[in-house]
Amino acid sequence: MNIGEIARRAGVSRSTVSYALSGKRPVSDETRRKIQDVIDELGYRPNASARALANGRTSTIGLVFPPAGNHYTGMQLDFIGSVVEAAAVHDYDVLLSPSGVDSDRSFQRLLGERRVDGAILMEIRLQDDRVDHMAELGFPFVTIGRTAHPEHGWWVGLDHTALAAACVHHLADLGHRKVAFVNRPEQLLRAGYESAHRGLDGFTKAAAERGLTVRTYCCGDDASSGQACVAQILHDDPATTALVTLNEAALGGLYRGLALAGRHVPRDFSVTGVVAARWAETVTPQLTAADVPAEALGRRAVDLLIERLDHPDAAARHHLLAPPISLRASTGPAA
Amino acid sequence: MNIGEIARRAGVSRSTVSYALSGKRPVSDETRRKIQDVIDELGYRPNASARALANGRTSTIGLVFPPAGNHYTGMQLDFIGSVVEAAAVHDYDVLLSPSGVDSDRSFQRLLGERRVDGAILMEIRLQDDRVDHMAELGFPFVTIGRTAHPEHGWWVGLDHTALAAACVHHLADLGHRKVAFVNRPEQLLRAGYESAHRGLDGFTKAAAERGLTVRTYCCGDDASSGQACVAQILHDDPATTALVTLNEAALGGLYRGLALAGRHVPRDFSVTGVVAARWAETVTPQLTAADVPAEALGRRAVDLLIERLDHPDAAARHHLLAPPISLRASTGPAA
DNA sequence: TTGAAAGCGGTACCAT
DNA sequence: ATGGTACCGCTTTCAA
């Protein structure tokens, strides 16, 4: 069932059907009705590939995220959900690309074969070849997170530096003097992940400011790594009374490690960090944390991208969010 | 940069370039090399829309899941990840469609506009209009889960009936006599979600077989609902000593509710259910559960779909998985 | 207000 | 082994 068939049955030309559909040219009521009747009867919908070929737009956006090896964090996944739903509102579909670097086949397909009109990149690294590549090509994109040189201008992000610092100040205000930092896996830190780096920076600087004694750790993205990490922390310095974490997936394990070590949260150990609200609320006691607004970030990324697609010459824009710390139940005065 | 440009620069015809690329017709080494040089120099890649239009295949599969209102469960999200990665292995891209019913705009686009070659449907309902619609259209699809009449034949699924029953038997063997069932939200049960229904069935029948006293509950997909649900359970029958749950997202809240009520797991209350391993391991004590093999299910769904796409006349196939219960630390003898 | 026809960028059949 | 060309289904310019 193609546009020619509709035209024939309605007794008009193909162009008239096209215009009746797009509204880009006036069509008499009479004609429009005839066409619509045929369309309704046959359940016709224009072929997306043909349309994309003809007008150069696919009405699809790409969402690029690293292949996490069936190890996605809740936050990443919240992004995906919010991006898809925000895109649907604008009648865009979302094509997923599990690509960590610009040489990945899926990434090449996305850009080279023009499968999408634009892209949203997640899990940005401070030096990110995907970003460089897209910027060089003039391909429209928005990043969730920003590189060391966010000159490309189109991004939404979290102020990890400020958030980690806020956690430190919160703990320092409560009288904690020996604080540990539980980061994402070492491999990600080494790869230059933005959140891991800026979070670590913010933590380190704020701790220095407040004269705290600190140790920093990398931790695998799973519960058992979290458990092991806490064991290590308490082994390295049993006098540690609090920790700050960016590692949502390890959270349950961190709690378990503390329980095993006989530390009661928050009575004799405080835990805080940067975690999406729904995950912060699954642990007991509920985590006092800077809530990652994954939903808002995803939605804003889509809005920015669509703005960029609609106005190719618009000035670059960005949103840097720094949500406040939600006081829940996992922090208390130093013992 | 299109195929004509490549042809001109290489001094050959467009068809020769096309054949050099596809290998569907012999091309002399000499010519092939000339063409390849030009392609490498210009970084040419064939346009996906044009290719899709010409040969009727998009090399894209659709992944259809209900819009969860930024409320995806870990399991759903694990599916998405595994489907995307499995598809990438076969050089297919994945288009996400947040559609709960066949009248959703995104769903209509997927099918009507032929944006994808086939689709994978998640979160199947016993009566599912999306399935009916696709079957009627002869559109290639595979479901994760199955309807009440899985005659369409192409699906992968979990034997929720058997899994819930296994949980009951496990608890009964431990001597529990009063057991509660914590299901997905009532709204999903009413909508006919397969897992909620079959799980409830399996639980109810097995409990009857073992002569247990049971109560069944629906519970929102979040921690606070879980907490409230436990409060209700203990209010309704304080002598309850165990529960079985399908509700992964509520798990943290269930544990919290028990702790608040002064019940120690597993000493005086046992918890078990059907939950993906990585989530079962985030709670303390770790959950004894039938581990949902989300990764395997996603991968198999992709494999089946691709088989169906490659062999349109192949006989329908399916995989029904029933993973064993992983004994962890959340169940014990009845008090 | 409507129609005819030239693309969009590939593929594949028919020739040579 | 290679070239010419019709065609995939839709959009849009040009004409009437």
Side-chain angles (χ1 to χ4, degrees):
Chain A
M1 225 40 36
N2 59 34
I3 202 173
E5 178 72 12
I6 302 298
R8 187 167 340 108
R9 298 211 190 199
V12 299
S13 73
R14 300 192 307 158
S15 52
T16 299
V17 175
S18 177
Y19 284 119
L21 247 27
S22 70
K24 292 186 181 175
R25 186 169 90 173
V27 171
S28 75
D29 287 352
E30 162 86 25
T31 306
R32 181 195 315 289
R33 199 189 38 66
K34 267 190 314 196
I35 293 174
Q36 193 57 51
D37 285 350
V38 177
I39 286 179
D40 290 344
E41 184 191 337
L42 272 61
Y44 165 78
R45 308 213 75 198
N47 179 298
S49 301
R51 193 204 288 266
L53 178 58
N55 63 22
R57 302 172 12 86
T58 61
S59 296
T60 303
I61 66 181
L63 180 56
V64 181
F65 58 96
N70 49 335
H71 225 96
Y72 299 91
T73 68
M75 214 179 72
Q76 290 172 321
L77 298 165
D78 287 346
F79 280 140
I80 296 179
S82 65
V83 164
V84 171
E85 295 191 16
V89 169
H90 298 273
D91 280 339
Y92 271 84
D93 282 319
V94 174
L95 198 62
L96 249 35
S97 172
S99 306
V101 294
D102 70 2
S103 58
D104 285 356
R105 293 229 297 261
S106 167
F107 190 81
Q108 292 296 340
R109 277 205 304 271
L110 217 63
L111 294 205
E113 301 181 3
R114 313 220 81 83
R115 277 175 188 266
V116 300
D117 296 335
I120 292 175
L121 267 59
M122 289 172 47
E123 300 292 320
I124 293 302
R125 300 189 302 278
L126 290 174
Q127 311 288 340
D128 202 303
D129 57 351
R130 301 170 304 170
V131 171
D132 298 342
H133 192 173
M134 286 192 165
E136 199 173 320
L137 262 51
F139 192 88
F141 70 104
V142 171
T143 59
I144 295 181
R146 61 200 202 280
T147 63
H149 304 287
E151 281 78 37
H152 63 77
W154 293 90
W155 52 268
V156 299
L158 227 45
D159 192 345
H160 286 97
T161 312
L163 296 182
C167 290
V168 169
H169 290 303
H170 173 65
L171 293 174
D173 291 344
L174 287 167
H176 294 276
R177 306 296 304 157
K178 289 173 171 255
V179 179
F181 183 70
V182 178
N183 206 337
R184 301 290 300 283
E186 185 176 354
Q187 163 199 4
L188 297 188
L189 185 64
R190 267 209 303 264
Y193 269 52
E194 187 220 359
S195 57
H197 274 274
R198 293 201 211 268
L200 178 56
D201 264 19
F203 173 85
T204 307
K205 295 209 177 101
E209 239 174 67
R210 302 295 294 253
L212 306 187
T213 303
V214 303
R215 285 173 191 271
T216 61
Y217 297 81
C218 283
C219 175
D221 280 334
D222 58 88
S224 72
S225 296
Q227 184 175 340
C229 187
V230 163
Q232 186 67 44
I233 288 170
L234 295 178
H235 170 268
D236 290 348
D237 186 351
T240 305
T241 62
L243 69 80
V244 173
T245 185
L246 302 182
N247 194 318
E248 184 181 274
L251 192 57
L254 296 175
Y255 269 61
R256 176 153 63 238
L258 289 168
L260 281 176
R263 311 282 174 125
H264 180 274
V265 176
R267 198 178 54 226
D268 34 45
F269 203 100
S270 289
V271 182
T272 183
V274 182
V275 173
R278 60 187 274 234
W279 307 100
E281 287 167 2
T282 63
V283 291
T284 305
Q286 295 184 44
L287 190 74
T288 286
D291 297 342
V292 175
E295 214 266 320
L297 281 171
R299 194 161 18 79
R300 288 192 173 208
V302 170
D303 290 345
L304 280 188
L305 180 57
I306 286 176
E307 184 183 327
R308 188 172 178 183
L309 291 175
D310 288 345
H311 309 286
D313 300 318
R317 292 179 42 201
H318 63 258
H319 296 292
L320 183 62
L321 308 186
I325 289 186
S326 290
L327 293 175
R328 296 197 184 84
S330 65
T331 59
Chain B
M1 224 39 36
N2 59 33
I3 202 173
E5 178 73 12
I6 303 298
R8 188 167 338 111
R9 300 209 189 201
V12 299
S13 73
R14 299 193 305 154
S15 52
T16 298
V17 175
S18 177
Y19 285 118
L21 247 27
S22 70
K24 291 187 180 175
R25 186 168 90 173
V27 171
S28 75
D29 287 353
E30 162 86 21
T31 305
R32 183 196 314 290
R33 198 188 38 66
K34 267 191 313 195
I35 293 174
Q36 193 58 52
D37 285 349
V38 176
I39 286 178
D40 291 344
E41 184 192 337
L42 274 59
Y44 165 78
R45 308 213 77 200
N47 178 298
S49 301
R51 194 205 286 265
L53 177 58
N55 63 23
R57 300 172 16 84
T58 60
S59 295
T60 303
I61 65 181
L63 180 56
V64 181
F65 59 96
N70 48 337
H71 225 97
Y72 299 90
T73 69
M75 215 179 72
Q76 289 172 322
L77 298 164
D78 286 345
F79 280 140
I80 296 179
S82 66
V83 164
V84 171
E85 295 192 14
V89 169
H90 298 273
D91 280 339
Y92 271 86
D93 282 318
V94 174
L95 197 61
L96 248 35
S97 171
S99 307
V101 293
D102 70 1
S103 57
D104 284 355
R105 294 229 297 263
S106 168
F107 190 81
Q108 292 296 340
R109 278 205 302 271
L110 217 64
L111 293 204
E113 302 182 3
R114 313 220 80 83
R115 277 175 189 266
V116 299
D117 296 335
I120 292 176
L121 267 58
M122 290 173 45
E123 300 290 321
I124 293 301
R125 300 188 303 277
L126 290 175
Q127 311 289 340
D128 202 303
D129 57 352
R130 301 170 305 171
V131 171
D132 298 341
H133 193 173
M134 286 193 164
E136 199 172 321
L137 263 52
F139 192 89
F141 69 105
V142 171
T143 59
I144 296 182
R146 60 200 202 282
T147 63
H149 304 288
E151 280 78 38
H152 63 77
W154 292 91
W155 52 269
V156 300
L158 229 44
D159 192 345
H160 287 97
T161 313
L163 296 182
C167 290
V168 169
H169 290 301
H170 173 64
L171 292 174
D173 290 345
L174 287 167
H176 294 276
R177 307 296 304 158
K178 288 175 172 255
V179 179
F181 183 72
V182 177
N183 207 337
R184 301 290 301 284
E186 185 176 354
Q187 165 199 3
L188 296 187
L189 184 64
R190 266 209 302 263
Y193 269 52
E194 187 220 359
S195 58
H197 274 274
R198 293 202 212 269
L200 178 56
D201 263 17
F203 173 84
T204 307
K205 294 210 178 101
E209 239 174 68
R210 301 295 294 254
L212 306 187
T213 303
V214 302
R215 285 172 192 270
T216 61
Y217 298 81
C218 283
C219 175
D221 279 336
D222 59 88
S224 72
S225 297
Q227 183 175 339
C229 187
V230 163
Q232 186 67 44
I233 289 170
L234 295 178
H235 169 268
D236 289 349
D237 185 350
T240 306
T241 62
L243 69 81
V244 173
T245 186
L246 303 182
N247 193 319
E248 185 180 272
L251 192 56
L254 296 176
Y255 269 62
R256 177 153 62 238
L258 290 167
L260 281 175
R263 310 282 174 124
H264 181 273
V265 177
R267 198 178 54 227
D268 34 45
F269 202 99
S270 289
V271 182
T272 183
V274 182
V275 173
R278 61 187 273 234
W279 308 100
E281 287 166 2
T282 62
V283 291
T284 306
Q286 295 183 44
L287 190 75
T288 286
D291 296 342
V292 175
E295 214 265 321
L297 282 171
R299 193 162 18 78
R300 289 192 173 207
V302 169
D303 290 344
L304 281 188
L305 180 57
I306 286 176
E307 185 183 327
R308 186 170 180 184
L309 291 175
D310 288 345
H311 309 285
D313 300 317
R317 292 178 43 201
H318 63 257
H319 295 293
L320 183 63
L321 308 185
I325 289 185
S326 290
L327 293 174
R328 296 198 183 85
S330 65
T331 59

